[in-house]
Amino acid sequence: KQEVTQIPAALSVPEGENLVLNCSFTDSAIYNLQWFRQDPGKGLTSLLLIQSSQREQTSGRLNASLDKSSGRSTLYIAASQPGDSATYLCAVLSGSARQLTFGSGTQLTVLP
Amino acid sequence: GAGVSQSPSNKVTEKGKDVELRCDPISGHTALYWYRQSLGQGLEFLIYFQGNSAPDKSGLPSDRFSAERTGGSVSTLTIQRTQQEDSAVYLCASSPGPSADYGYTFGSGTRLTVV
């Protein structure tokens, strides 16, 4: 059974800092990995999708990397802003049923 | 539509009543998921529809939960005889197909409160 872990559970940084969020998964036989953002009381917004054959994806100030063999992914946020404050969720697509398994998230607070 | 639409956005119901939650996926998307997010918890898989194939119901927590997808489009999640532990945000997501090339787009969810 696929399990996804995110570290840290919560992170508070001053505005302007670069930061890294971590995601690990137990079964490396994944199809893809997706990073989402969730604002309080809202649904999930997709940030980046990395295919199993890819090593990284970039969008603006966000960069996600994938090391499938070691079961790890990182989300790098450059020059953080208060508007980046949210919960960041990592999810992997795996298994014959193509089930999307989520981590518990990292709650990020960027202080102005 | 432009995104995944869920209704209602909020639902308060009395314990023991039945509720229906609706999901309108993005037009043309063949894959549809239902997830549940309880307070302070991660996302829990409930059910997966792909085209006309039999759904994967392995995540449904009890036989009080059921879901259907009519015409390969709109999906309804039904909870019978609701219990307080059913209180959660129910999220729906859709994808163009089962290929790993596609990511999933989520709706804003239905917040269910059982009192």
Side-chain angles (χ1 to χ4, degrees), chain A residues 32 34 36 46 49 51, chain B residues 29 94-97 99-105:
Chain A
N32 63 41
Q34 199 165 356
F36 294 89
S46 179
L49 171 69
Q51 304 299 338
Chain B
H29 280 198
S94 72
S95 175
S99 169
D101 293 340
Y102 309 118
Y104 284 81
T105 302

Side-chain angles (χ1 to χ4, degrees), chain A residues 31-32 34 36 38 41-44 46 49 51 89 93 97-104, chain B residues 33 35 37 42-43 45 48 56 58 91 98-104 106-109 111:
Chain A
Y31 298 105
N32 63 41
Q34 199 165 356
F36 294 89
Q38 186 173 33
K42 305 286 187 181
L44 277 68
S46 179
L49 171 69
Q51 304 299 338
L89 293 159
L93 186 70
R98 294 185 178 266
Q99 188 174 126
L100 199 60
T101 306
F102 283 83
S104 297
Chain B
Y33 281 100
Y35 281 82
Q37 188 175 34
L43 274 83
F45 165 75
Y48 168 51
D56 176 0
S58 61
L91 291 162
S99 169
D101 293 340
Y102 309 118
Y104 284 81
F106 279 78
S108 298
R111 182 176 298 277

Side-chain angles (χ1 to χ4, degrees), chain B:
Chain B
V4 177
S5 178
Q6 292 188 246
S7 60
S9 56
N10 282 282
K11 176 73 176 178
V12 180
T13 190
E14 292 181 352
K15 178 180 174 181
K17 300 279 190 183
D18 297 351
V19 294
E20 285 189 352
L21 312 180
R22 177 186 169 103
C23 173
D24 280 278
I26 293 173
S27 179
H29 280 198
T30 62
L32 187 149
Y33 281 100
W34 282 99
Y35 281 82
R36 176 169 74 173
Q37 188 175 34
S38 303
L39 187 63
Q41 302 294 314
L43 274 83
E44 175 189 8
F45 165 75
L46 296 178
I47 189 168
Y48 168 51
F49 295 91
Q50 173 52 50
N52 295 320
S53 302
D56 176 0
K57 304 180 181 180
S58 61
L60 295 178
S62 77
D63 59 8
R64 295 187 295 105
F65 287 72
S66 63
E68 63 177 20
R69 189 177 184 192
T70 54
S73 180
V74 172
S75 177
T76 303
L77 177 68
T78 302
I79 309 173
Q80 296 178 309
R81 305 180 302 281
T82 51
Q83 303 295 312
Q84 288 186 328
E85 62 262 28
D86 299 335
S87 296
V89 176
Y90 289 81
L91 291 162
C92 174
S94 72
S95 175
S99 169
D101 293 340
Y102 309 118
Y104 284 81
T105 302
F106 279 78
S108 298
T110 293
R111 182 176 298 277
L112 175 66
T113 303
V114 182
V115 297

Side-chain angles (χ1 to χ4, degrees), chain A residues 4 7 9 11 21 24 29-30 32 34 46-47 49 51 56 58 65 67 72 77 82 87-88 110 112:
Chain A
V4 180
I7 294 173
L11 180 63
L21 308 181
S24 62
I30 66 169
N32 63 41
Q34 199 165 356
S46 179
L47 298 174
L49 171 69
Q51 304 299 338
E56 66 176 345
T58 298
S65 68
D67 184 343
R72 296 179 187 276
I77 303 177
T87 296
Y88 290 80
V110 181

Side-chain angles (χ1 to χ4, degrees), chain A residues 4-68:
Chain A
V4 180
T5 303
Q6 291 188 246
I7 294 173
L11 180 63
S12 183
V13 300
E15 181 177 5
E17 271 205 9
N18 303 326
L19 58 101
V20 174
L21 308 181
N22 297 291
C23 171
S24 62
F25 45 95
T26 54
D27 183 355
S28 62
I30 66 169
Y31 298 105
N32 63 41
L33 182 145
Q34 199 165 356
W35 282 94
F36 294 89
R37 167 185 174 138
Q38 186 173 33
D39 293 281
K42 305 286 187 181
L44 277 68
T45 300
S46 179
L47 298 174
L48 290 164
L49 171 69
I50 312 176
Q51 304 299 338
S52 63
S53 58
Q54 297 176 324
R55 299 283 295 186
E56 66 176 345
Q57 283 287 327
T58 298
S59 176
R61 295 181 293 108
L62 305 179
N63 176 275
S65 68
L66 173 64
D67 184 343
K68 199 173 72 165

